Amino acid sequence: MSQANFKDAQSYLSNQILGQEQLVNRLLICLICGGHLLVEGAPGLAKTKAIKTLSDLLEGDFQRIQFTPDLLPSDITGTEIYRSQTSTFEFQKGPIFHNLVLADEINRAPAKVQAALLEAMAEKQVSVGSKTYPLDDLFMVMATQNPIEQEGTYPLPEAQLDRFLLHCNVDYPNAEHEKQILRLVRGEQTADFPKPETMLTKQAIFTARKEIAELHMSDAVEDYIVHLTMATRTPDKYDSDLAHWIEFGVSPRATIALDQVSRAHAWLNGQDFVAPDNVMSVLHDVFRHRLLLTYGAQAEHIVTDMVIDRLLDVVPVA
């Protein structure tokens, strides 16, 4: 039943967020896996609308945080407020204490503010002073960053990038979807796809997480995942170009993520097993933010997506 609910939610979201089917799919995958999503794309591509629309289908709440250079860590996590009536300090929860959190333009805030998210994303808890406050079991961060305007931005450190389950690049919609968006804004047509009658409850999400963990994965597919990881760490054993391009390979967290995301991708497609195609479909979004390239590769204008394409070419499918 939970699988049907997620399929209905995916169809509804794709109808509301025109031309961004991959973003919708990655949002649901992160929700199912209990991970966090980093979205990179130009302004106006419905990134904010996507997660807000998803929150309307959830048994949970949503909060947007606009990251700016003058933001403080306490603006994220919360702070202790002195109550003169009782002569005590009372913790005032910050916006991080919600189920779905949109960290808009996360790279516009300085490192200390970005680091305030690190514990919350990794441990699902917030430490303020000598006390630790747990977050809800259903907790997901979707962070956005603008790839065009880099003035006044602070690149995310590798440690925080690794906390994101997926890094999704959002591109412009095609001509047909652009026409539909125009007509929708002018009121000439409506996004009349019916909203699912059943909300995605916390129980349904936790059931989905259990089901994807039990999805069948053969030893051959498991070996394929491991070989893709190892090819980033010892690239000279696989390909001379990879050896020239890759400075540091992906961490074990990437292997775990690739396993989880491949399972969720297969589950959303109605499969009862994980195939190599599922691994290939999500590999770019899992590895994109975890690979560090050499200066030589950057000088040759090699980008991580090109390296991942090469990985898929040289690592044999078991």
Side-chain angles (χ1 to χ4, degrees):
M1 177 60 72
S2 60
Q3 191 176 47
N5 291 346
F6 275 93
K7 291 295 290 182
D8 290 344
Q10 183 168 354
S11 298
Y12 175 75
L13 288 169
S14 295
N15 185 266
Q16 300 295 313
I17 316 299
L18 298 173
Q20 301 296 354
E21 288 81 5
Q22 179 162 325
L23 173 60
V24 168
N25 179 262
R26 292 338 189 216
L27 265 174
L28 290 175
I29 285 177
C30 284
L31 184 67
I32 294 170
C33 295
H36 309 289
L37 178 64
L38 177 62
V39 180
E40 188 166 335
L45 295 181
K47 301 184 291 294
T48 302
K49 183 180 178 182
I51 191 168
K52 286 184 69 175
T53 307
L54 174 61
S55 69
D56 292 338
L57 304 180
L58 283 181
E59 184 186 68
D61 50 22
F62 164 78
Q63 180 66 45
R64 172 180 175 172
I65 308 172
Q66 185 66 48
F67 278 64
T68 56
D70 60 348
L71 207 65
L72 298 174
S74 58
D75 295 329
I76 305 293
T77 60
T79 186
E80 290 187 331
I81 297 176
Y82 181 72
R83 301 295 184 187
S84 58
Q85 299 89 338
T86 58
S87 299
T88 58
F89 285 93
E90 180 182 318
F91 180 63
Q92 185 74 38
K93 291 183 177 180
I96 197 70
F97 286 88
H98 288 79
N99 299 115
L100 293 186
V101 176
L102 172 62
D104 209 9
E105 293 194 282
I106 188 174
N107 57 335
R108 295 217 168 273
K112 63 182 179 181
V113 178
Q114 294 173 7
L117 279 177
L118 198 60
E119 181 183 16
M121 291 171 59
E123 308 294 338
K124 290 189 177 180
Q125 64 182 31
V126 169
S127 295
V128 177
S130 60
K131 293 185 179 179
T132 299
Y133 302 91
L135 298 172
D136 197 273
D137 289 337
L138 176 58
F139 173 67
M140 185 180 87
V141 173
M142 172 180 153
T144 70
Q145 58 182 17
N146 183 350
I148 300 172
E149 187 182 359
Q150 297 302 320
E151 184 177 352
T153 62
Y154 304 81
L156 294 173
E158 286 74 15
Q160 185 161 337
L161 281 172
D162 204 26
R163 259 57 176 192
F164 287 99
L165 184 71
L166 297 175
H167 177 186
C168 178
N169 281 341
V170 179
D171 206 352
Y172 293 106
N174 60 31
E176 182 58 35
H177 284 129
E178 198 82 15
K179 186 187 294 185
Q180 292 178 29
I181 292 170
L182 276 178
R183 292 174 176 173
L184 190 64
V185 172
R186 291 198 303 249
E188 295 176 10
Q189 72 177 49
T190 58
D192 55 0
F193 194 90
K195 186 176 181 179
E197 296 181 0
T198 305
M199 293 187 70
L200 294 176
T201 63
K202 293 182 181 180
Q203 185 57 49
I205 294 169
F206 297 146
T207 299
R209 291 177 185 178
K210 183 179 179 182
E211 289 180 2
I212 68 165
E214 296 172 351
L215 206 64
H216 174 71
M217 178 183 286
S218 67
D219 289 341
V221 175
E222 198 171 74
D223 288 341
Y224 182 50
I225 289 174
V226 172
H227 283 305
L228 285 168
T229 298
M230 298 310 296
T232 70
R233 299 178 190 170
T234 55
D236 53 300
K237 294 182 179 179
Y238 292 83
D239 181 70
S240 59
D241 285 337
L242 288 177
H244 174 63
W245 293 340
I246 298 177
E247 181 73 23
F248 290 103
V250 299
S251 70
R253 193 179 279 117
T255 313
I256 297 168
L258 188 55
D259 173 81
Q260 291 179 324
V261 174
S262 299
R263 290 173 179 274
H265 187 271
W267 187 84
L268 275 175
N269 286 339
Q271 301 168 217
D272 56 5
F273 63 94
V274 184
D277 285 347
N278 300 119
V279 179
M280 297 175 190
S281 296
V282 300
L283 183 65
H284 285 77
D285 291 347
V286 175
F287 277 12
R288 179 177 290 126
H289 55 304
R290 293 183 164 101
L291 281 174
L292 291 182
L293 305 187
T294 62
Y295 288 116
Q298 295 174 44
E300 296 171 15
H301 303 290
I302 301 296
V303 296
T304 51
D305 281 352
M306 296 167 64
V307 176
I308 297 168
D309 287 339
R310 187 66 177 163
L311 277 172
L312 290 171
D313 289 338
V314 302
V315 177
V317 180

